[in-house]
Each structure stands twice: as C-alpha cells, then as structure tokens.
Amino acid sequence: MNVLQFTDKGIWCPAGDFYIDPWKPVQRAVITHAHSDHARWGSAHYLCQKETVPLLQLRLGADISVQGMDYGEMLSINGVRVSLHPAGHIIGSAQVRVEQNGEVWVASGDYKLEQDGISAPFEPVRCHTFITESTFGLPVYRWQPQQQIITDINRWIYENQQAGKASVLLAYSLGKAQRLLHSLQDTVPHFLAHGAIANVNELLRNNGYPLPLVERITPETPKSAFKNAVVMAPPSADDTVWMRRFQPYSLGVCSGWMQVRGNMRRRNADAGFALSDHADWKGLLSAVDATGAEQVYATHGFSSVFARYLQEKGIAAKEVTTAYGEEEIITNTES
Amino acid sequence: MQQFSQLVKLLGNSTKTNEKLEALSQYFATAPAKDKTWVLALFSGRRPKRTVNSTQLKTWCLQATGLQEWLFDECYHTVGDLAETISLLLPPLTQPMAAPLHYWLEQLQQLEQATEAIKQQFILNAWDQLDDGERFVFNKLITGGFRIGVSQKMMVNALSRTYQIPPATLSHMISGNWNPGAVTIEELLHQSTTGADASRPYPFFLAYALEDTPAALGDIAGWQAEWKWDGIRGQIIKREDQLFVWSRGEELITDKFPEFAPLLTSLPNGTVIDGEILTFANGAPLPFQTLQTRIGRKNITRKQLQEAPVAFLSYDLLEWEGTDIREQPLAERRQLLETLVAAQQQPALLLSPVITCHTWEELTALRLQAREKMSEGIMLKKRSAVYQVGRKRGDWWKWKIDPYTIDAVMIYAQKGHGRRSNLYTDYTFAVKDGDALVPFTKAYSGLTDKEIAELDNWIKRHSLEKFGPVRTVQASQVFEIAFEGIAASNRHKSGVALRFPRISRWRKDKPVAEINTIEDLKALLQLSQHQDGSSA
C-alpha cells in the first residue's frame, strides 16, 4: 500500500489516517498553507505549521480545532512520522514529509525557490516520492529576480505620481500583499489598503511580523487621501465600483500570469508585473532534482506537460487531478 | 530598437485611446527619421518583405534552447503568438547592442538572397543582442502582423498632432505605394496631395451600421439607396496612362483582375472610381465563394476567368479630369459617374444601381429582397454629402438584413491568440445528423469576456480528449450561430461553408436534443441556391 494515496477527498495517508489539504471535510487534516484552495472548511481537526495557525483561524473561524508545529518538528501518527518543512510560498507554508517504514513521501503544497524576505525559505527534502505543484510548468515561465521586479514597480509608481495618478496594485491578500509591503516599504512611505488586506496585515503585525502599517480604506476615507497614493487591493476588487474612488489611477497586476502579454491585455491592466509566489519552470525542475525522488506526481497547473517532461528525463512521473488551483486558471488566481 | 519596443509595449497594454495617441505622437516627435517611416509603414500594414519564415524561426529557437519540439508546441498553444513564445523561451542575452529599428529592418531586408546558414547566423546573433521586449518586436517584424491595438485612424491622428496636418489630408498623403526604405516621413508629408505618386488612392469613406429605423434620417428624398454588395471594395485609378486597382486593404491588385485591363485605354487620365469588385455573370453577382477562387492567386487560369468572371460595380467618382472632386455633393458626383460609365461601354465596368423608392416603407419592403439580389442589405447615402475619410457617422449608413441563424452544439475547443491567449476561445460547432453530430463551422467571436471566461472554465472541466491543441468537449453547450451566407462545399464534412459565422447567443435554455439538423442547413443551402438561380 502506498504511503500516500489520491482519493476524492484529497491526499490520504492510510496508515496514519489523515489527509493533506483535503477538499472535503475529514477527521484529520494536515494543511500546507492557508490559501482557500488548500485550507478548506469543515474538517474536525487541523494540523499545520505554527505561523499558519492564526491565518487558519482568520479564514476558517476562531473556533476550529487546530494544532501548530514548528518546521522540522517530528510527530508520530499511528507509527507514521510526519514533519513540516518550509515551502517558501507564503508565511507559514509547508511541505509535508511523511515517512512510513523508511519510505519517504513529500507533498509540496505550493512553493517557490526564491527568497521573498518574509516567508521561511524553501528547503529541499530528500524523498522517494514527490508530489509537486506545477502551476507554471512551462518553460515560458521564467521569473526575473524579485529585486528587478520591485525596481520596475517603484519606477511605475514614480511615473504615476509624476502624472498625478494613484498606483493601485492588485495582489492576493494573503501572501503577495505582504511580499509587496515588505519589499516596497523602503521606497513607499505610506500604504492604503482594501479591508481584506488590512485584516491580514493587522493579524500578522499583532503576531510580531515586522510589516509596515497600512491605512485601511473605509467609506469615510477622503478622496484627497488617494491623490498620488499607493493602494493595495485584492484581485476580487478589480472591475468593481469600489475602485472608482481612486480616479485618476493606474492599475498594476502582480501575478506570474503577467509573463504573457495576452493575459495582461485581457486584464485591462495598465501594468503587469510577473511576480509570483510559485516556482517557475526552472524552479520546479531544480526542486524535483533536489528531492532525489524516483517517482513524481504533478498536481495542479500544467501537470501533463510537466509530467511528460520528467518522464522523458527518466523519472517515473504522472499527473494527478486534484481540486487545487483549478487547472491553468487565470481569474482569482493566488499565484 | 528599445524605443520602438517600449512603444509597442505601451500600445499593447494601454486601454486608453488618449494615452496611446500621446505615446505615438511622442514617438513621431522624437524617434530617428528612418525609424519613423518604418513605424508608419508597419502600422499601416506595409509589411517588409519576408526573408525568414516561421518554421525557420522555430527550428533555430529549438536549437538555441535545446527544447523538444512538443514542449515548444505546448508553449506556443498557451502563449498564442509565435514571436512572443520564442522571446520568452530564449536564454538571456549576452551581448547587448543598441541599434535603432531601421538597422534591424535593413539587415533583415538584405537577407533576401542569403543562404540559409547566413540567415540562421544572423538571427541567432540578433537574439543574443536583444533584450526580451526587443526580441519580441524583432520576431514580430519577421512573422509580420503588428496587430497591437493601433488603428490606422489612431496613427493618422497621432501624426496629425505631431505634424499639424489635418487628419483627412494626412491619411491621403500616406496612402498608396511607397517604399519605407526609400522615402522619409517628411517627404511623404510634404508632397502635394495629387501628383507625386500616380498610383495613390484616396482613403475610403466607410459606413456605420444603421441601428434605428431609417425614418429617423428624415425625408427619403435626401437619400440615395443602393444595394450593399458583398465583394471587395476597391478603387480604379487611371493616371498618366497607367491603370491601378486598389483594394480597401490598400493592396495593389491590378494584375489579379485582367478583366479591367481594357479600362487602361478607355478611361480618361485623371479618373478615380470607388466601387465593389464582384464575380458577376448574366447581369447578377455570383456567390462570394466564387470570388474567393480569384483572391490570393498569382496566375489566373482561363478556366477561372470563365467560371468566376469579375466586374466592378461603381459607387462613386472621386477624381475627374485630374481634379479631386470629393468635396462636391454626392448628387453631382453620381451624375458625372453615370455619364462616365455609360460612355465607357465596358462589360467589366458597371454602375451600382440606385434603388428608386419614394417612401421608407417601400424601401423597407424592398430590403427583404436583398438576398435574392445577392446583396447584404441596403446602403443609404446622403445626396448632399461630401466624400469623407474613414468610418464616419451621419452621411452613409449600411442597413443590413438579419443574418441566418442555426442552433448548434459545441464539440471542440482550442486556445486563442493575442489577448485571448491561454483561454479556450476558438470553438467548433455541430448540428445533428440522425443520432450523430456533424461539425459544420467554427466561430471565434460573439461572446463577452465574461462569457468567454465562464465557458473556458467549463471547457477545462468537461474536456474528453486532447488532440494537440484541440480538446473535444462534452456536447452539451448550445449556441445560436449567425451567418451571412451559405454555399455548398466539398472541402467540409457537412457539405456547406458559411460566410461570416459568429456566435449570436449562448442558449443555456436549450437542450442539445433541440438543436438544428443537417437537413435544416441543406434546406438553407437550397433556398440560397434557388435565389441564386432566379436572379440570374
């Protein structure tokens, strides 16, 4: 029997009787990170990395039963050894290592290799079988270094200010928003933010993260506050009346999908920054390489392409269907 | 090249007309002279001669990257643009070189006679000297087709801003035959509007669709009604003892239509006629499909000339006795045109007849005969109007008949290009043939962005099989397909080919059991062939 199996509820460990990122309610859920396609409501008990605990409570309710673990800490469940290791995706994101009778499987959740300055850096874990995401599993996805992209964003903000416009950055409220706040804080003296982003920011600041203060936008915020301002908004705010208050403004979308012109033009964004919390093609390959795995399962993303490529390299690779991501999705993406 | 690549980036991303206009006129004010002329040429569809083809680009990219072909193809289907795919796949540059746009274009032109090996060397070197944005535009220069959200109108407005010349005058100045390698933009814009180049056509006046009832246009006596013909809009020019035939796409097509050759001797010098090129026999137009057999062929066979003879249905006279008469009212121009055409006695030069009619009601009734006349509807032109430049509201209206419609089910989907990249936007539809489904058309347009996103999501969840870039999907989504014409075709499994098919509605209310059948299509086909015969 395999250490981990793919079921219609999620990735299941038969010996330990727990699920990793289940998409249906289960008794015991091990959660890789607090994004909504991985951390779903309704399970009886949750286990996750310590820093994910408050985020899970924010998203799933303060009354959930949740246990936090340190990175590297080992837990034994019915004789199966379970530990969490940094995935570098967002704060608290983890790969799940499961060991049974000396056989090691690792489920990656979402990950990126580049250090973003706020998430614990990705750590490769040796294993026999690696279950990897493949959101950007095509060679056209090759990220510029973060510093380069931040320089571009700063220049864009400067040009907007010269033109008397506000700069509205669309970024996912958990993850991308903190990454931007952290990276832009030396050049941007004051941030305004949508309530969804302000909520996460306050929570993390209260938990000791050195994130800059943001001003929450409310119906009372005077229009004058938006002149030449830098505003953070979640992708869901795009194309809503809520955005009108910023006029005149320039819209910048921060997502790996912005690597391709067509996606950017479709978003009607004024600027697109291919800043992603997922690994690019080379990142995925080097992560797989570093695990030393003989067997790889590619989950959400360009899974069939990535699996085929690995097969041709001599690795036993398969694509599996999960409820993560939503294959090749563009809208409401968390990337 | 940097400056041009940045211009392309801005034009491609911006959604605001003013911003684009500003960027363009800024470019025309600051770019090197030779670059400007090239940009003008590129953005008005004057593609440089192809010296390297897409297959070569792909092969050399595979070589430069070491990628397998299937992986390259996957990338291409997702990105939806060859030039961009290659620019994203190539390794970072190692020898940056700052050369202007015209340098690269001239180099490319010089490759015409070069061997494959020299071409390859040049392209690989260029890729290594250009950054990502520059590589993209460089590849675009080779693959052609700068469709980046700049209309000819916008470019004319930008030039007009920079050079302080009225748009109508300017668009005439830049029309016609000129070689971007041989003239400067200043030379183009300092010539007088007649003279200089004898072949130069006038910018076409185009109509908007009439959405109201024509009664809103006032007294019918002030209007000239004609059938709206479905051919190639064109201009016939006779100047300095030479004959030129232009298409609306500003392509010189004189040699494709030997039928017009006798006009060289019969037309007086200094004549420009606006009209429609149609296949025409026994006093009536033939279906558009017959004209298609004449388009895109270099050598025309005697058989083609016999089966698909061409005529020019004249709409308007723009130049007469060497004088630009576009400012005269239509009524006067029409009179001159009628006299001219009558005097010619040329079988290939006809008048587009005026529909005589005294009330809008009468015309409304006549419009129902449009299909029998092999026309798409009616054109309404104000008798007192001057001949304007480009698409303008007010004086000319096209009043088209309602299209045919068929309810069909989607069976295949493929990812689109450009701003539709990585989205399933190209669909194939089928009608019922007994218990089976038979594909009969593709359609790419007609859905809103929101509907496209919804359908894309559905396709990703309901695809059955993958054949290269094509996915077969569960046959359950029903759409109303509208089209302008139908013809028999032995190239299609269904036996029919449609003209201008597009999606008119997503019929979420309709079950697959109730879609149309192949018999319904054949009935439409017979109907249209019958009309064809009756009008002959």
Side-chain angles (χ1 to χ4, degrees), chain B residues 239-506:
Chain B
R239 290 186 190 122
E240 298 173 18
D241 297 320
Q242 297 171 77
L243 186 79
F244 305 96
V245 183
W246 286 94
S247 75
R248 181 158 90 71
E250 289 211 3
E251 198 188 344
L252 204 48
I253 49 178
T254 322
D255 298 337
K256 285 190 179 166
F257 301 109
E259 286 94 336
F260 302 137
L263 297 174
L264 175 61
T265 41
S266 76
L267 281 177
N269 272 321
T271 305
V272 179
I273 311 170
D274 173 18
E276 194 91 8
I277 299 166
L278 293 170
T279 41
F280 202 89
N282 303 322
L286 301 171
F288 186 82
Q289 280 77 9
T290 57
L291 184 55
Q292 270 170 337
T293 66
R294 296 285 304 268
I295 304 172
R297 305 238 174 159
K298 276 194 188 129
N299 302 311
I300 294 126
T301 62
R302 173 181 288 223
K303 186 159 169 270
Q304 280 170 326
L305 283 175
Q306 265 166 10
E307 284 175 0
V310 156
F312 191 84
L313 261 70
S314 312
Y315 292 139
D316 214 323
L317 188 62
L318 310 184
E319 185 175 310
W320 179 237
E321 294 177 336
T323 308
D324 174 0
I325 60 166
R326 293 176 298 159
E327 291 297 316
Q328 292 185 25
L330 170 64
E332 287 174 25
R333 298 197 310 270
R334 175 80 195 186
Q335 222 161 29
L336 287 170
L337 177 73
E338 288 181 4
T339 316
L340 169 72
V341 173
Q344 289 294 304
Q345 303 262 349
Q346 291 284 351
L349 185 70
L350 305 168
L351 269 178
S352 167
V354 167
I355 304 170
T356 343
C357 213
H358 303 289
T359 63
W360 290 121
E361 289 74 27
E362 214 181 311
L363 189 65
T364 308
L366 273 171
R367 177 167 159 264
L368 299 177
Q369 301 174 14
R371 281 219 169 92
E372 287 167 39
K373 302 273 183 197
M374 296 300 289
S375 101
E376 299 180 292
I378 285 174
M379 285 297 305
L380 294 168
K381 301 172 180 174
K382 202 186 237 172
R383 291 185 196 276
S384 60
V386 303
Y387 189 95
Q388 302 189 58
V389 167
R391 205 176 291 282
K392 297 277 158 53
R393 282 181 189 282
D395 291 346
W396 278 23
W397 297 100
K398 51 182 175 193
W399 189 25
K400 296 210 330 184
I401 38 176
D402 296 332
Y404 294 110
T405 60
I406 279 280
D407 288 328
V409 67
M410 177 173 67
I411 54 168
Y412 309 133
Q414 189 172 350
K415 286 176 178 175
H417 300 265
R419 73 184 283 278
R420 297 164 146 216
S421 84
N422 204 20
L423 270 186
Y424 286 94
T425 57
D426 302 357
Y427 318 115
T428 302
F429 298 93
V431 286
K432 276 196 296 187
D433 182 6
D435 290 335
L437 290 170
V438 52
F440 71 104
T441 191
K442 285 186 175 197
Y444 308 87
S445 64
L447 295 177
T448 63
D449 281 359
K450 214 175 142 195
E451 286 172 323
I452 289 175
E454 189 185 339
L455 192 53
D456 174 71
N457 204 335
W458 183 89
I459 291 165
K460 283 169 185 165
R461 286 157 192 276
H462 295 85
S463 61
L464 306 172
E465 285 172 294
K466 210 174 159 184
F467 298 103
V470 179
R471 290 199 182 185
T472 60
V473 297
Q474 205 180 80
S476 61
Q477 298 300 321
V478 176
F479 297 84
E480 182 182 275
I481 308 297
F483 51 97
E484 299 301 323
I486 181 166
S489 161
N490 46 23
R491 281 175 46 209
H492 298 81
K493 204 171 164 188
S494 62
V496 297
L498 308 186
R499 177 121 173 93
F500 287 143
R502 69 264 182 193
I503 299 167
S504 54
R505 268 191 301 166
W506 188 350

Side-chain angles (χ1 to χ4, degrees), chain B residues 207-224:
Chain B
Y208 269 101
L210 183 68
E211 274 140 24
D212 261 350
T213 56
L217 300 177
D219 188 354
I220 194 171
W223 293 84
Q224 171 178 314

